[in-house]
Amino acid sequence: GQQLNQSPQSMFIQEGEDVSMNCTSSSIFNTWLWYKQDPGEGPVLLIALYKAGELTSNGRLTAQFGITRKDSFLNISASIPSDVGIYFCAGENSGGSNYKLTFGKGTLLTVNP
Amino acid sequence: NAGVTQTPKFQVLKTGQSMTLQCAQDMNHNSMYWYRQDPGMGLRLIYYSASEGTTDKGEVPNGYNVSRLNKREFSLRLESAAPSQTSVYFCASSKVADTQYFGPGTRLTVL
């Protein structure tokens, strides 16, 4: 089956630092999504990307859909303690006829105040 | 709007016991999903229901059954629980595949 390789697995940073994480795949995806999971909660959608090359921001978060459609990255600027959590990338590649997402294994982010 | 709700939040079972995890959504979504989350494994799809009346296997369906009771509700059943099914279970729903909304999870321990 399809796989998403998400890196890094974990990050320990100081408050105020910028963060970058990415996902790569051997398969092409039509949609890339980034989710965040707070401790003890379910994942919440942060950003959705629909076009190759698209760059989208949501506050301090910026994500890009790679030109090859096989990768995506997420940047967080000026991190704060509430950024702590697990960040998942996910891809969808059927144009809507397949109802499934493929998830990466997550990046665990720890922010030291 | 409650979004996606799951019950129970926590459950401890003995090996061989059965139980049903309940999920309901109030967003009028067509599609619903069950995932399990294990450390270092990310989210793995167990079963999904693209629309009311249909269910399909995901990546890890063995040991589970599902029922799409109506458009709102999608339940997950463990007929004979095993320690390997200790996990956190998430239900999700979506109008289109690319925007899934997740419930708060059920933390299941099988002894």
Side-chain angles (χ1 to χ4, degrees), chain A residues 5-83:
Chain A
N5 300 308
Q6 187 171 350
S7 65
Q9 281 190 317
S10 62
M11 303 181 75
F12 297 84
I13 62 170
Q14 293 296 126
E15 183 176 359
E17 289 183 355
D18 297 342
V19 172
S20 184
M21 59 192 78
N22 68 82
C23 269
T24 60
S25 173
S26 57
S27 303
I28 288 174
F29 286 97
N30 294 327
T31 304
W32 282 93
L33 305 133
W34 286 92
Y35 283 83
K36 183 197 177 194
Q37 184 180 24
D38 288 329
E41 304 288 332
V44 173
L45 182 65
L46 297 174
I47 292 179
L49 302 157
Y50 299 103
K51 288 184 190 175
E54 180 181 355
L55 185 71
T56 297
S57 293
N58 178 4
R60 293 177 297 105
L61 277 59
T62 302
Q64 183 154 33
F65 191 144
I67 288 288
T68 64
R69 293 162 65 193
K70 293 182 179 180
D71 63 317
S72 177
F73 72 74
L74 174 71
N75 287 344
I76 305 172
S77 62
S79 59
I80 58 178
S82 63
D83 289 334

Side-chain angles (χ1 to χ4, degrees), chain B residues 10-103:
Chain B
F10 300 94
Q11 183 71 49
V12 179
L13 293 177
K14 293 182 180 177
T15 297
Q17 287 185 318
S18 62
M19 79 161 295
T20 300
L21 282 64
Q22 307 285 356
C23 174
Q25 53 92 9
D26 62 2
M27 296 174 281
N28 201 36
H29 286 165
N30 290 324
S31 302
M32 297 186 74
Y33 311 82
W34 276 105
Y35 293 89
R36 61 178 287 173
Q37 183 178 29
D38 302 293
M41 300 297 290
L43 291 160
R44 293 184 292 172
L45 184 65
I46 305 171
Y47 270 94
Y48 68 104
S49 171
S51 61
E52 189 179 355
T54 69
T55 60
D56 286 284
K57 294 178 180 179
E59 183 184 353
V60 289
N62 291 346
Y64 305 95
N65 284 303
V66 291
S67 295
R68 184 73 182 268
L69 303 169
N70 47 56
K71 191 171 186 179
R72 289 187 65 248
E73 298 172 287
F74 188 38
S75 63
L76 178 72
R77 183 158 178 85
L78 286 70
E79 288 292 349
S80 179
S84 61
Q85 294 178 304
T86 293
S87 188
V88 182
Y89 291 86
F90 288 100
C91 177
S93 72
S94 69
K95 191 172 182 181
V96 292
D98 59 6
T99 309
Q100 293 186 15
Y101 295 84
F102 286 81

